[in-house]
Amino acid sequence: MIRRCPESPDKGPIPIDNDVSRPREQCGVFAVYGDPRAVELTHYALYALQHRGQESAGIAASKDGAIRFHRGMGLVSEVFDRHILEDLGGSAGVTAAIGHVRYSTTGDTNLANAQPLKIRFIGGELALAHNGNLVNAGELRRELEEQGSIFQTTLDTEVIAHLVARKGGLPVVEAIGQSLSLCEGGYALVFLTPKAVMAARDPNGIRPLSLGRLGEAWVVASETCAFDTIGATFERDLDPGELLVIDDSGIKSMTFKRPGELRLCIFEYIYFARPDSDLRGLNVHAARKRLGRRLAQDFPVDADLVTGVPDSSISAASGYAEASGIPYEMGLIKNRYIGRTFIQPKQEMRDLGVHLKLNPLRSLVRGKRIVLVDDSIVRGTTSRHIVSLLRDAGAKEVHLRISSPPYRYPCHFGIDTRARSELIAAFKDPEEIERIVGADSLRYLSLDAMIEAVGCGRRDFCVSCFDGNYPVKIPEGVSKRMFEGPSGSPITR
Ligand code: AMP
């Protein structure tokens, strides 16, 4: 696994563009209350959220006053089969369930860290699933351990479970509300008890979470594309600091912490979310197209064709093509069947391996001046690799256009870009990056242009990965670790 940015074009082999060599994604959560197909619906919804995490998947369902759950490593299709779903209550009138897909942002990669987590405490049984990161998880965990808590996983989610369990004398909703009021960071959570489903969003709404309706039932999902998949309709986004409780008496909304400003992670628009999801009422594909159009206005170039890095950059590339009048072409073909199970070949196979996941359409790119649109450069490995693929296929010029600004600061809220030393733009100028990735020209959208293109104000988003202004105070120990340079020295830029 190659985790560092390349420092020069001739430093070692180009890493294969498999899931391991790229920055990792986060997680997706789903919940349903009040439908006898709860397990099946959750299963389908997890397919819709699969892009948010491919490392593990799990479903918890409440049946006969108890919670059953199943989790496993791998894709949703690998973790569940008919028997498992039936055992969870697929055909037995289970009406409430929660589900999770995970790519680790905290904690190790193993089954113990798969979610939902289930606990049994004085208040009964509780399952919970989580997308995001608590910035004060370390502090909270230490305090809990000092008071005798024993942890079984390295998950932030278990910290929340312990906090709730410690307040076991209270009604479970109160225990959850009080526990969440201690949690700082970006998070979207779903909870299941034998009698209710609950959902909560962090006080700045950094991570997305939406409420939908399916007949008489209520559903909650990280992204609205899950609603389309199961035939539900979108009701509204959860408010920052909101805790929803859904049970036989209906749906109740409460505020577990006074909300701060809504600061939705702008990277959801840029890269994470599926193009058919809506965030804050704006369709993700439409937002990406606007970013691409703006990129074309700000950084035009004479070229023969525009192509995007599949899949996340196709929308922005089509926006660039539309605004520039240069035709969009499918210059790169992605093999969709490698995914997580792809095993990194030996060193001598690397040259072949680079073509396994992405292959340029040779006849199309040969002799052409190409505008290559990508949504972001994080460590620079992908751009370097794709530019070289296009050149090897005979491209005359490759002009790289990025539909976001230089990614300079680590995310503390659920995106796995661990240390600043891993971010190429943290210590290289765009001109140097242009040289490293081997492009004829490289242009990034500016922060203001990006925000204008998406159509809201700067204060409506968390843009901390671009400007370093975190909407939540980051504890010193965490920020020190994340801000160390490649050799452990602080990066000052
Ligand atoms: P890198 O190779 O590290 O520069 O990664 C940038 C590429 O990965 C771009 O093509 C993005 O579409 C994609 N990307 C950006 N952020 C992430 C992420 N958190 N997880 C996986 N891929 C990402």
Side-chain angles (χ1 to χ4, degrees), residues 47-61:
Y47 272 104
L49 298 174
Q50 185 78 85
H51 60 290
R52 296 182 73 87
Q54 298 98 47
E55 179 186 291
S56 68
I59 295 178

Side-chain angles (χ1 to χ4, degrees), residues 260-340:
E261 287 159 337
L262 174 60
R263 295 294 196 91
L264 176 66
C265 165
I266 202 157
F267 218 64
E268 292 279 350
Y269 281 114
I270 292 168
Y271 169 79
F272 282 124
R274 246 172 63 160
D276 50 340
S277 287
D278 296 337
L279 298 166
R280 299 179 64 148
L282 174 61
N283 171 251
V284 171
H285 166 71
R288 287 182 189 161
K289 257 188 111 166
R290 288 191 203 170
L291 292 165
R293 294 186 72 87
R294 179 66 191 251
L295 201 49
Q297 282 157 17
D298 291 358
F299 304 109
V301 60
D302 274 340
D304 304 308
L305 63 91
V306 178
T307 198
V309 179
D311 295 313
S312 51
S313 305
I314 305 290
S315 306
S318 70
Y320 193 104
E322 247 178 50
S324 64
I326 303 170
Y328 175 81
E329 277 292 0
M330 220 165 51
L332 294 158
I333 307 298
K334 181 171 174 180
N335 184 333
R336 289 164 207 292
Y337 303 100
I338 299 173
R340 198 197 56 83

Side-chain angles (χ1 to χ4, degrees), residues 22-25 267 271-272 309 312-313 374-383 415-417:
R22 287 154 73 92
R24 297 172 187 184
E25 297 166 36
F267 218 64
Y271 169 79
F272 282 124
V309 179
S312 51
S313 305
D374 202 354
D375 52 76
S376 54
I377 298 180
V378 182
R379 290 162 304 165
T381 50
T382 305
S383 311
I415 296 172
D416 186 28
T417 46

Side-chain angles (χ1 to χ4, degrees), residues 351-372:
D351 286 345
L352 293 178
V354 289
H355 291 276
L356 270 178
K357 188 142 187 181
L358 273 184
N359 200 31
L361 230 158
R362 231 163 250 281
S363 56
L364 203 80
V365 304
R366 192 176 302 126
K368 299 283 179 15
R369 298 166 303 166
I370 296 173
V371 180
L372 173 64

Side-chain angles (χ1 to χ4, degrees), residues 400-421:
L400 187 55
R401 296 291 179 270
I402 306 297
S403 57
S404 63
Y407 195 118
R408 291 203 168 105
Y409 298 88
C411 176
H412 293 286
F413 308 122
I415 296 172
D416 186 28
T417 46
R418 293 294 169 91
R420 201 163 180 222
S421 59

Side-chain angles (χ1 to χ4, degrees), residues 458-471:
R458 182 179 288 219
R459 299 200 66 80
D460 294 322
F461 292 112
C462 175
V463 291
S464 53
C465 51
F466 303 119
D467 71 0
N469 292 318
Y470 298 99

